[in-house]
Amino acid sequence: MNRTIRTLLALLGPLLLVLLGVPALQGTASAAAPPAGQVMRFTMTAFTNSSESNMYVYDSPDATGFSLRKGPAYTPPSGLIRDPSIFKHTDGYYYITYTTNWTGNTIGFARSTDRVNWTFLYNYTIPISGLTRTWAPEWFIDTDGSVNIIVSLTAASTATHFTAYKITATNSALTTWSAPTQLSGIGPNYIDTFVVKVGSTYHAFTKNETTKYIEYATASSLTGPYTMRKTGDWAGFGSWVEGPALVQLDNGGWRIYYDGYRVGKYWYSDSYDNFATWSTPTEVPGLTGFIRHATVLKETVPGGVTLPTNTTRSLQSVNFPGRYAVVRSDNLGYIDPVSASSSTTAKQSATFTVVPGLADANCYSFRDFAGRYLRHWDLRVRFDSSNGTDTFDKDATYCARPGAASGSVRLESYDYPGRYLRHYNYALRVDLYQDTDTFRADSSFTVVSPWA
């Protein structure tokens, strides 16, 4: 999505939604990067193309580049583990629920203290007579603290006519459950329903089992009635897609992950205008073509990378240690050689003041000797004076992530999550994360004492 269109959507999106009768999201911009000493951790659980009986666990600091924690991490005593959904309970344990078989009326449960080692708990029988398939259970924790599971059920002889139901835990041990309640307005023939709540509105993303599109509905109650707001290929996700799962990013945007099962790819897409429009789908780096029907848990944990603020520093390339981030006379960013014998001008061009991020004080901005800020424009890094706009502040803000080498840092674009400051042919850009050692090295810098 180009900058002009994105800016117009940000300005007009909420008004268009009101005119169309879609409830506006509340508090979307309230999300922020965690403070110093803490970091967001995104944990993904998935089954895979290679096995429906094993669950793999990955995690990520940025919701884009996931690393394997353990695989297989869990194998149930019998049956399958399709569609594993993860959440962290108030008792400190992580729990998954999952599809136990292609046919039947049960869902499975397991728990873990560390997200890596899992213990089987039990299979639960959904108390509805005649069920032939019980698929895609998804945790939903409501704002009142209630623990719910949204599950797709059918009594049909074939895998059609699914309907979304809700069950609610009636004890803190998650061993007893309420009677199933249908989510009115969704179905029949909808599956893989995933719900998020923003403000007082419930937002459901669900697969139309006939058209194979992920569609969108809203309601003022978890059980509905839901109103279908968007159908068909409204978001550009394409057809023959399933397993939607959403998570909110550090900058307040929303990311949806989904399974392009027919073409064997796994995608994500982001929205910044109240779920009205979505970015061009991007394959999940390193995992596309392998994982199936994943969910992602976001939590704040100790750790992360902290940079000193209101001090001057230089950014040294990890894989070209004789080169440093600089601003040249054309106002563009590069990595150039700088040494003790370099001119005062060259040393000055490689020295920046690290300040709290203009768009989020828990991230960072970099100001050069002339008072200009390191920012991106059409993905190229340049140095400009602030014009006081929200767009500029976001363009000039970067969130620190662990780098490829010990003590190094990668700088993720605040307004384009998944894109990092990196050098390419010595020019500085913000490029989409790639699951390669070259990219990780190109996008890693060591924050060192200033040259000037």
Side-chain angles (χ1 to χ4, degrees):
M1 187 182 301
N2 69 43
R3 181 179 301 275
T4 302
I5 294 174
R6 184 170 176 172
T7 301
L8 288 172
L9 287 172
L11 295 170
L12 299 177
L15 175 60
L16 291 174
L17 290 175
V18 171
L19 293 174
L20 293 170
V22 179
L25 299 181
Q26 301 299 315
T28 297
S30 64
Q38 296 182 317
V39 66
M40 288 297 185
R41 183 175 68 193
F42 299 85
T43 299
M44 174 185 286
T45 55
F47 77 99
T48 71
N49 274 325
S50 62
S51 175
E52 298 176 319
S53 300
N54 295 306
M55 182 182 75
Y56 282 54
V57 177
Y58 306 84
D59 65 18
S60 169
D62 59 9
T64 303
F66 285 87
S67 300
L68 178 66
R69 289 300 308 276
K70 189 176 182 180
Y74 171 68
T75 302
S78 63
L80 308 179
I81 183 168
R82 291 178 63 93
D83 321 323
S85 177
I86 183 173
F87 96 108
K88 188 176 184 180
H89 195 20
T90 54
D91 63 6
Y93 285 98
Y94 297 89
Y95 288 81
I96 54 169
T97 182
Y98 53 91
T99 302
T100 60
N101 261 304
W102 283 97
T103 59
N105 59 357
T106 64
I107 55 176
F109 291 88
R111 73 177 183 181
S112 170
T113 59
D114 59 6
R115 304 170 298 128
V116 174
N117 301 291
W118 294 83
T119 300
F120 172 73
L121 293 178
Y122 64 99
N123 286 341
Y124 176 72
T125 300
I126 302 293
I128 294 179
S129 177
L131 289 180
T132 58
R133 288 167 179 81
T134 306
W135 288 3
E138 300 282 3
W139 296 107
F140 174 75
I141 315 306
D142 211 336
T143 49
D144 63 2
S146 63
V147 178
N148 307 275
I149 292 174
I150 311 300
V151 61
S152 300
L153 307 175
T154 183
S157 59
T158 58
T160 58
H161 307 298
F162 279 97
T163 303
Y165 281 79
K166 176 211 73 152
I167 59 173
T168 303
T170 55
N171 68 346
S172 60
L174 309 183
T175 56
T176 59
W177 298 87
S178 68
T181 302
Q182 183 178 343
L183 273 59
S184 64
I186 298 179
N189 211 35
Y190 282 89
I191 192 173
D192 296 353
T193 300
F194 193 97
V195 177
V196 296
K197 185 180 184 183
V198 185
S200 59
T201 302
Y202 297 83
H203 303 261
F205 294 78
T206 185
K207 176 195 176 187
N208 184 316
E209 188 62 15
T210 298
T211 66
K212 314 302 183 184
Y213 290 118
I214 293 172
E215 300 184 342
Y216 169 59
T218 62
S220 58
S221 167
L222 177 57
T223 54
Y226 283 84
T227 300
M228 298 304 298
R229 301 292 182 182
K230 300 287 186 178
T231 60
D233 194 20
W234 63 282
F237 301 153
S239 60
W240 295 91
V241 293
E242 63 185 14
L246 282 82
V247 69
Q248 193 170 31
L249 302 172
D250 283 1
N251 65 2
W254 286 88
R255 175 162 293 180
I256 187 171
Y257 302 88
Y258 59 94
D259 190 345
Y261 60 100
R262 194 177 205 186
V263 295
K265 295 183 178 181
Y266 215 90
W267 305 92
Y268 73 85
S269 178
D270 298 340
S271 178
Y272 291 91
D273 56 4
N274 305 329
F275 300 147
T277 62
W278 294 81
S279 64
T280 301
T282 302
E283 292 181 59
V284 179
L287 301 184
T288 183
F290 182 68
I291 61 169
R292 297 290 312 279
H293 198 130
T295 58
V296 177
L297 168 68
K298 175 184 177 181
E299 56 184 330
T300 302
V301 297
V305 178
T306 301
L307 305 184
T309 56
N310 301 312
T311 59
T312 54
R313 292 290 189 271
S314 294
L315 298 177
Q316 182 183 34
S317 168
V318 160
N319 54 350
F320 290 87
R323 290 179 177 265
Y324 296 78
V326 302
V327 52
R328 289 186 187 171
S329 57
D330 58 3
N331 296 335
L332 297 178
Y334 300 84
I335 58 165
D336 281 349
V338 183
S339 67
S341 61
S342 297
S343 68
T344 299
T345 299
K347 292 177 180 178
Q348 194 176 48
S349 73
T351 300
F352 311 104
T353 301
V354 184
V355 299
L358 299 182
D360 187 327
N362 292 328
C363 296
Y364 302 94
S365 294
F366 300 84
R367 191 173 62 230
D368 77 353
F369 63 93
R372 300 167 300 185
Y373 287 90
L374 185 158
R375 58 87 61 96
H376 60 82
W377 181 265
D378 287 340
L379 308 183
R380 184 69 166 92
V381 167
R382 56 180 295 115
F383 288 79
D384 289 330
S385 298
S386 173
N387 59 17
T389 64
D390 182 63
T391 296
F392 183 94
D393 289 350
K394 291 178 179 179
D395 285 354
T397 299
Y398 298 83
C399 298
R401 311 296 187 198
S406 177
S408 67
V409 62
R410 290 189 297 135
L411 297 169
E412 184 184 20
S413 168
Y414 182 79
D415 52 350
Y416 288 88
R419 288 187 175 271
Y420 282 86
L421 179 71
R422 62 87 58 99
H423 62 82
Y424 187 82
N425 287 338
Y426 304 132
L428 288 174
R429 305 171 44 83
V430 287
D431 280 354
L432 193 63
Y433 175 85
Q434 300 166 31
D435 187 34
T436 66
D437 290 340
T438 296
F439 180 89
R440 283 185 283 268
D442 285 353
S443 59
S444 294
F445 298 86
T446 304
V447 180
V448 297
S449 298
W451 276 109

